[in-house]
Amino acid sequence: MAATSRGTSPVPPDVRPRLTVLSGPSGVGKSTVVAHMRKVHPEVWLSVSATTRKPRPGERNGVHYFFVDNEEFDKLIANGELLEWAEFAGNRYGTPRRAVLDRLESGEPVLLEIDLQGARLVRQSMPEAQLVFLAPPSWDELVRRLTGRGTEEPDVIERRLAAAKVELAAEEEFDTTLVNTSVEDVARELLTLMLQASGLRGIDD
């Protein structure tokens, strides 16, 4: 595949790649799939979220997240600079719009890994985006993954399972479903979907 170098003319709108959004229930393995695909194909661009939470040990600004304070996050919202945003556990997370659009306009496939709420908001703000739902092999397997640690209280586990049922019911809202029976296989299928949406044949072609 011939790479598009930075500084070249923007790709015509009718041949620009579509944003690919990966979502699915908690515990299904979204982050694991994305991490594997990035390890094998580091040239795939993964959107980096902005967040108001403090960095954890080892996290780098601009690599894992863009770390901002509440005032900066408010400005991002007010200026329409986020494709979507949500609050979780007292912190806010959002997808910077400009970075995504710049990559798409240069002809690069873009991947966004977010929760169900975020995927719905992206659908509203960017209807042409390709939404991919990552499903578990079975309900029993998802339960095993959600309860596998054995460190959470029963009421916490119950809330997680209830939320997972709601998230699974949203599968029909997505364009494509991938079943996570194998991280390697799903990562390869996801990459294929991204390239097809971009009019490309393959990363190594």
Side-chain angles (χ1 to χ4, degrees):
M1 182 188 74
T4 302
S5 62
R6 297 293 178 85
T8 56
S9 300
V11 177
D14 58 342
V15 294
R16 285 179 191 162
R18 296 164 64 193
L19 169 65
T20 298
V21 176
L22 180 68
S23 191
S26 175
V28 77
K30 298 184 294 294
S31 296
T32 303
V33 168
V34 170
H36 178 79
M37 187 172 71
R38 292 291 320 286
K39 182 179 180 180
V40 178
H41 294 289
E43 60 270 53
V44 171
W45 194 74
L46 177 67
S47 176
V48 178
S49 298
T51 181
T52 58
R53 78 160 170 79
K54 301 298 182 184
R56 294 170 181 160
E59 289 183 335
R60 289 184 292 161
N61 186 51
V63 176
H64 299 93
Y65 288 97
F66 292 111
F67 296 100
V68 300
D69 59 26
N70 279 301
E71 182 178 352
E72 291 175 299
F73 203 94
D74 287 340
K75 289 180 180 178
L76 292 175
I77 296 173
N79 294 333
E81 295 180 34
L82 297 177
L83 273 177
E84 57 81 30
W85 69 272
E87 185 169 342
F88 179 75
N91 297 303
R92 290 182 291 177
Y93 299 79
T95 302
R97 182 188 300 271
R98 187 69 261 164
V100 169
L101 294 180
D102 284 347
R103 295 281 178 161
L104 292 175
E105 287 172 0
S106 70
E108 299 178 56
V110 176
L111 177 63
L112 175 58
E113 178 212 332
I114 49 176
D115 62 11
L116 174 59
Q117 179 184 356
R120 285 170 169 163
L121 291 172
V122 170
R123 175 70 89 192
Q124 293 175 14
S125 61
M126 192 177 283
E128 69 276 15
Q130 173 179 232
L131 269 57
V132 180
F133 188 87
L134 188 62
S138 67
W139 171 251
D140 288 344
E141 174 62 17
L142 185 60
V143 170
R144 187 191 68 78
R145 294 179 185 180
L146 289 172
T147 61
R149 294 179 183 176
T151 57
E152 288 87 359
E153 295 295 326
D155 61 325
V156 174
I157 292 176
E158 188 175 337
R159 287 199 299 271
R160 283 188 174 187
L161 294 177
K165 288 182 179 179
V166 173
E167 291 166 337
L168 283 171
E171 179 182 346
E172 62 183 18
E173 300 176 30
F174 288 71
D175 301 311
T176 305
T177 295
L178 298 178
V179 179
N180 192 10
T181 54
S182 161
V183 170
E184 293 81 4
D185 290 346
V186 169
R188 186 163 50 249
E189 291 170 4
L190 178 60
L191 180 64
T192 298
L193 288 173
M194 291 182 64
L195 296 175
Q196 288 175 344
S198 305
L200 304 173
R201 292 177 298 163
I203 288 288
D204 298 320
D205 287 354

